[in-house]
Amino acid sequence: MMAWRRWYPIVGSIGTVATIAGCAAIHHPPATVASIAAEAPAIRAVERATVDTIVARLARRILARGDHQLDILLLSGGGQNGAYGAGFLRGWRSRPSGAMPRFDLVTGISTGALQAPFALLGTAAALDTLSSLYRRGANRVAPTVDPFFWLRRTGGVLKIGRYRETIAQVFDMHMAAALRRLFDEDRQLAIGSTDFDLGITRSWDVATELAHGGPERFHVLLLASTAVPTLFPPVIVDGHVHADGGVISNLLPVLGLDEYRSLAARLAMAVAGGTPSVTVRLWVIMNLLTEPRPIVTDPASRGAIGARTETLLFTGQQPQLLNRLGELARAVSSDVPGLRLELHVTFIPPFLADDPGANALFDRDWMIRLEQIGYDRARGSSPWDRISPP
């Protein structure tokens, strides 16, 4: 599937195994369509409760900050192109003015899910570690083709043992302890995966998941969020098949208009004399190209038409996602008393779409270059982009 190969090359969307052990064949736990459908209301209720909990913590966080501001970071998927976001975060933190804030909520999809814990920690050491994961990905992380994939029936064609080991090494007990200290301050982390059985996005509140399942549970969810369909084995999470969160949405906004209304209502109840005036700054890093590169399409080739279709279907999501966020910002600012929503977006410069490395499954030189482009962009005079109509 060429579109997946192009847009989800490596570090950020290297997939997973159904069980943490080896290349064993994957099997769906016993289930029927009726049993899966019967579970849907309970799972949607859990999703609703997760979002409500995030909103409640954000309200407490606003009051604790005391400066009438809230900072939310959304990190998209994008595979090897996540090197841009890693470099941008590193450069943003080191800006002499307008430096990166301490985020109150960070969400991530696919490669963004891997970046999100480092962004929430926000230290120079954490962001240097993140950048190094992309720079050394070819030697330490890259998957290899499993020559016996057709026999193993893992649901993918690549072996991802090195990636799985890296997840366990980097997201260890020390990182879990550091994240828990931030969670105690009501700072939050959420990642998303796609439930293939129900066809929905699942939002995972990392504070809750760490509390219940420890780092091992977090590893499973990271593997699920980054499992590229057909290339990497999917993951069984709580009896359901999960894979790359970018299949449904390449961003995890978590909060919609109703949630911002709920946030304003909670603040009004907590503050005597009415709702305080709060500015929510929504920062978005798109770890991918938002426009397809022009090509000469062979109309007689079914393979070429199919690959181009997948690319266009996926690429077409990105400007629509950004425009919907722009509409949300306008709606919150005009219709939710006491809240003003600012939207700031950065994405990979479109002219880079023609670079040969941008269209590879994994290209070390491209990732090193892209990380530097992100770093320079963040430190430059114009780090944020204007959203164009889709």
Side-chain angles (χ1 to χ4, degrees):
M1 298 177 68
M2 294 304 294
W4 287 113
R5 291 177 184 273
R6 175 182 173 191
W7 290 107
Y8 288 90
I10 193 119
V11 173
S13 291
I14 293 178
T16 82
V17 211
T19 62
I20 300 299
C23 295
I26 187 170
H27 301 282
H28 198 299
T32 64
V33 172
S35 68
I36 291 291
E39 293 171 351
I43 289 176
R44 288 191 170 93
V46 170
E47 182 77 12
R48 181 70 260 165
T50 297
V51 174
D52 288 344
T53 298
I54 290 173
V55 171
R57 293 190 194 128
L58 288 176
R60 294 199 301 264
R61 180 67 183 165
I62 289 172
L63 298 174
R65 280 185 57 152
D67 60 358
H68 302 287
Q69 286 198 142
L70 197 67
D71 288 290
I72 299 174
L73 174 66
L74 311 184
L75 298 164
S76 84
Q80 71 167 358
N81 293 337
Y84 174 80
F88 190 94
L89 287 166
R90 190 168 62 87
W92 189 7
R93 190 189 186 281
S94 65
R95 279 182 64 92
S97 62
M100 187 176 78
R102 296 180 76 238
F103 299 111
D104 305 296
L105 169 64
V106 179
T107 77
I109 289 284
S110 198
T111 199
L114 296 180
Q115 296 173 342
F118 297 100
L120 187 67
L121 292 170
T123 64
L127 298 180
D128 286 345
T129 298
L130 174 61
S131 286
S132 73
L133 286 176
Y134 289 87
R135 288 196 297 268
R136 62 190 174 92
N139 299 324
R140 298 284 299 276
V141 183
T144 56
V145 175
D146 179 4
F148 301 107
F149 71 88
W150 54 282
L151 288 175
R152 301 189 204 276
R153 295 181 58 81
T154 64
V157 300
L158 300 180
K159 295 189 293 184
I160 47 80
R162 293 192 299 184
Y163 172 67
R164 190 173 61 248
E165 292 170 2
T166 299
I167 289 284
Q169 292 168 1
V170 173
F171 301 95
D172 59 7
M173 296 295 293
H174 298 290
M175 175 175 274
L179 289 173
R180 286 189 180 103
R181 288 192 289 270
L182 301 184
F183 298 153
D184 288 342
E185 302 172 3
D186 281 324
R187 297 176 64 197
Q188 300 183 74
L189 177 64
I191 63 175
S193 65
T194 298
D195 183 326
F196 271 58
D197 289 338
L198 287 174
I200 61 173
T201 296
R202 287 298 306 275
S203 303
W204 303 100
D205 169 34
V206 176
T208 300
E209 300 302 326
L210 269 180
H212 292 166
E216 293 77 14
R217 173 70 170 183
F218 189 29
H219 299 165
V220 170
L221 296 177
L222 284 172
L223 293 173
S225 181
T226 58
V228 184
T230 74
L231 293 183
F232 309 102
V235 179
I236 303 299
V237 181
D238 301 338
H240 284 223
V241 176
H242 282 253
D244 200 315
V247 171
I248 291 180
S249 175
N250 212 30
L251 289 170
L252 186 66
V254 180
L255 277 65
L257 184 57
D258 287 343
E259 285 70 43
Y260 281 107
R261 285 173 174 153
S262 175
L263 177 62
R266 288 177 180 273
L267 292 173
M269 292 176 61
V271 177
T275 306
S277 178
V278 174
T279 297
V280 180
R281 299 189 295 184
L282 190 61
W283 311 93
V284 181
I285 298 178
M286 298 296 288
N287 289 300
L288 42 65
L289 293 152
T290 56
E291 299 177 13
R293 69 186 179 101
I295 65 170
V296 177
T297 304
D298 181 359
S301 169
R302 288 178 295 178
I305 292 294
R308 187 61 169 173
T309 297
E310 293 171 8
T311 297
L312 296 178
L313 284 171
F314 180 73
T315 308
Q317 286 187 29
Q318 314 319 316
Q320 294 180 56
L321 282 171
L322 295 178
N323 273 270
R324 285 201 292 271
L325 286 177
E327 293 167 356
L328 176 64
R330 290 189 291 273
V332 169
S333 298
S334 63
D335 297 341
V336 181
L339 293 187
R340 184 170 70 91
L341 182 58
E342 295 179 356
L343 178 62
H344 307 271
V345 178
T346 186
F347 45 80
I348 299 171
F351 71 85
L352 291 172
D354 287 329
D355 190 291
N359 303 292
L361 175 64
F362 176 77
D363 189 295
R364 177 179 176 273
D365 292 338
W366 163 253
M367 293 174 70
I368 292 174
R369 179 186 173 205
L370 196 58
E371 198 270 346
Q372 187 63 47
I373 289 172
Y375 178 84
D376 292 340
R377 181 80 190 279
R379 288 181 57 86
S381 58
S382 302
W384 304 104
D385 290 294
R386 181 178 180 274
I387 301 174
S388 300

